[in-house]
Amino acid sequence: MQNVLLFVIGVLIIAVGLGVSIALHEVGHLVPAKKFGVKVTQYMIGFGPTIFSRRRGETQYGVKAFPLGGYISMVGMFPPAKEGGKLRRTSTGFFNSLVQDARKASTESVGDDDSRAFYKLPVWKRVVIMLGGPTMNLLLGILFFAIVLCGFGIAGASTTVGSVSACVQPASTTTTSTSTTCASTDPVSPGAAAGILPGDKIVSINGTAISTWDQSTDIIRQSAGVPLTFVVLRNGADVTLTVTPLLTERDVTEIVNNQSVVKTDASGAAVTEQVGFVGIGYATELQPQPITAVLPFVGENVAGVANTIFNLPQRLSGVAQAAFGGGTRSADSPMSVVGVGRVAGEIATIDIPLQSKVATLIGLLGSVNIGLFVINLVPLMPLDGGHIAGALWEGLRRRVAKLFGRRDPGPVDTARLMPLTFVVVVFLGGVSALLMYADIVNPVNIFG
């Protein structure tokens, strides 16, 4: 029962955080729109039937039934058709009506006074308004990751002993088997023989102060057969132990894709080396990072989301295979809000320190906001990036016309893109449905 309650709490935390992120995204549009004099008639969180709303001035603020996004309604999103302008003859009746309906709705929202219409603004002001939402998500992502990195830290090796091997097993055994059972012929590990215990904090080795685990490892590996004087902090008091590293054959490891793996030769056999071995492993702890680590970390997340988008067909193919064919989903598989909520619930239930749970949930919100930032910059309507692209294209056309002394071509008729917008909306709806289904029947397992 306790795990169920913790799971629900985790889901609620991420749901509230996501709702706040969406609300602030729309504030990022709302504030500059009002600052530039655009008439904003609605500020809504969610879609579908309105649950609650209140009018302040000319704007109706409210919450709708399905909190899967939000929007603000600005008058004059599309310019009116040019006098005598016609749709392309290749337009079908359905798509023709989409364009006409978009123009009609925009014209009706403007009324008789078009001085406060969105399309009347200079290009740079329209870009600022449409960039406001994604920028807000970027700032939230930076804030959340700053809290995680600088306030909590990231898990890393400490100088505290986390485990002590009971015996020394051959390298071939540790490579090919996950067994930790000692055979009668396996020698007792030097660490266990010397009396090192999990929780001991290594203070010094042979008089050399130890500040990192790698420092102690280097000394041990180079000191096979040489008695070493360990000073460890145990229960608030220094304890001196004598440890003699054993010369053993250990696997050589290397870093591949940010993961430590056993190095192999041309035949596929593990590469080994003769080094000193004590048989102790480090305990991980959260290590606060400098503020300078935040932006590079955010940059890596932005690059990761962008890579997912660039490889979306391949990623979605893998999700479909996992959803309908029973395959295993990768840990970096794209997820829907259902999957994010499920991960949040699992974080709340796993057996880790409370501060680690809080840090992980905040980091999850940071990742969600970076995802919203990147996705909304995709230059396709109805995403913010589509409106930005339309404004920039208009600015380019006008600049070129002015450069060559031509007549001002006027605003770009973005209403003509409604057929493409319809296709994008259907595609995004299909992707969301696929991800939600996969997150239910075959969720991502990020905890192993």
Side-chain angles (χ1 to χ4, degrees):
M1 184 62 185
Q2 182 180 8
N3 277 351
V4 173
L5 179 60
L6 289 174
F7 187 92
V8 172
I9 291 174
V11 172
L12 289 177
I13 289 174
I14 209 69
V16 171
L18 182 57
V20 171
S21 298
I22 292 172
L24 291 177
H25 173 100
E26 299 307 329
V27 168
H29 293 308
L30 179 71
V31 172
K34 285 184 171 289
K35 182 70 174 178
F36 295 146
V38 179
K39 184 177 181 180
V40 181
T41 58
Q42 282 188 320
Y43 169 93
M44 291 289 172
I45 305 303
F47 301 101
T50 301
I51 297 176
F52 164 82
S53 70
R54 176 174 295 179
R55 180 172 294 278
R56 294 189 61 182
E58 63 188 12
T59 306
Q60 180 187 15
Y61 300 85
V63 177
K64 291 183 174 287
F66 306 107
L68 300 177
Y71 65 92
I72 66 170
S73 293
M74 296 180 286
V75 303
M77 286 296 293
F78 302 110
K82 294 181 180 179
E83 293 184 10
K86 298 180 180 179
L87 288 173
R88 296 179 182 176
R89 294 179 181 178
T90 54
S91 298
T92 66
F94 174 71
F95 288 135
N96 189 331
S97 65
L98 284 178
V99 176
Q100 296 287 19
D101 289 345
R103 284 181 179 147
K104 181 180 178 182
S106 180
T107 301
E108 290 177 348
S109 70
V110 172
D112 296 329
D113 181 14
D114 66 353
S115 62
R116 300 180 63 193
F118 176 77
Y119 75 87
K120 283 283 190 176
L121 291 178
V123 169
W124 72 269
K125 289 186 177 182
R126 277 179 277 163
V127 171
V128 168
I129 291 173
M130 300 316 297
L131 271 178
T135 300
M136 185 65 76
N137 290 126
L138 175 62
L139 293 176
L140 286 172
I142 292 174
L143 173 63
F144 287 138
F145 283 133
I147 292 173
V148 172
L149 294 177
C150 304
F152 292 92
I154 58 177
S158 67
T159 56
T160 300
V161 177
S163 61
V164 180
S165 301
C167 61
V168 180
Q169 293 180 315
S172 58
T173 301
T174 58
T175 302
T176 60
S177 174
T178 58
S179 172
T180 56
T181 302
C182 296
S184 58
T185 55
D186 293 333
V188 176
S189 74
I196 297 178
L197 301 176
D200 287 349
K201 183 178 178 64
I202 301 176
V203 177
S204 66
I205 300 178
N206 273 7
T208 301
I210 301 300
S211 58
T212 67
W213 187 264
D214 286 342
Q215 185 183 5
S216 65
T217 299
D218 289 340
I219 295 174
I220 292 170
R221 291 169 68 88
Q222 298 170 15
S223 305
V226 178
L228 300 176
T229 300
F230 273 59
V231 176
V232 299
L233 183 64
R234 180 185 297 171
N235 297 326
D238 285 346
V239 177
T240 302
L241 304 169
T242 300
V243 185
T244 303
L246 183 68
L247 182 64
T248 59
E249 186 180 38
R250 297 287 99 188
D251 297 317
V252 177
T253 60
E254 59 182 348
I255 303 299
V256 177
N257 296 328
N258 295 323
Q259 292 185 336
S260 179
V261 298
V262 175
K263 186 176 182 179
T264 57
D265 58 22
S267 65
V271 177
T272 61
E273 60 182 342
Q274 298 286 329
V275 294
F277 178 77
V278 169
I280 55 177
Y282 61 80
T284 59
E285 64 180 19
L286 294 178
Q287 300 171 347
Q289 304 296 302
I291 192 67
T292 53
V294 176
L295 291 183
F297 190 83
V298 171
E300 291 177 5
N301 274 262
V302 169
V305 177
N307 181 66
T308 297
I309 294 174
F310 288 138
N311 296 282
L312 193 58
Q314 178 183 351
R315 293 297 187 92
L316 291 180
S317 175
V319 172
Q321 290 176 8
F324 301 105
T328 301
R329 292 180 68 182
S330 60
D332 61 349
S333 171
M335 290 185 289
S336 68
V337 291
V338 173
V340 173
R342 187 163 188 161
V343 168
E346 291 176 351
I347 290 171
T349 59
I350 58 177
D351 187 20
I352 58 175
L354 178 60
Q355 66 173 1
S356 295
K357 293 182 180 182
V358 174
T360 307
L361 287 172
I362 294 175
L364 186 59
L365 283 173
S367 297
V368 168
N369 274 277
I370 294 301
L372 291 173
F373 165 69
V374 177
I375 291 171
N376 273 287
L377 290 182
V378 174
L380 292 173
M381 293 177 63
L383 300 173
D384 297 331
H387 292 284
I388 294 171
L392 293 177
W393 174 243
E394 177 183 320
L396 178 62
R397 287 203 319 165
R398 285 180 158 170
R399 185 173 293 274
V400 170
K402 184 177 181 180
L403 181 63
F404 289 95
R406 298 173 183 169
R407 182 171 56 90
D408 186 349
V412 171
D413 187 7
T414 49
R416 298 176 74 100
L417 296 176
M418 287 306 295
L420 175 61
T421 302
F422 176 80
V423 173
V424 173
V425 169
V426 172
F427 173 75
L428 293 178
V431 170
S432 298
L434 171 62
L435 293 179
M436 287 183 183
Y437 178 76
D439 288 336
I440 294 172
V441 301
N442 194 351
V444 175
N445 182 8
I446 64 174
F447 302 107

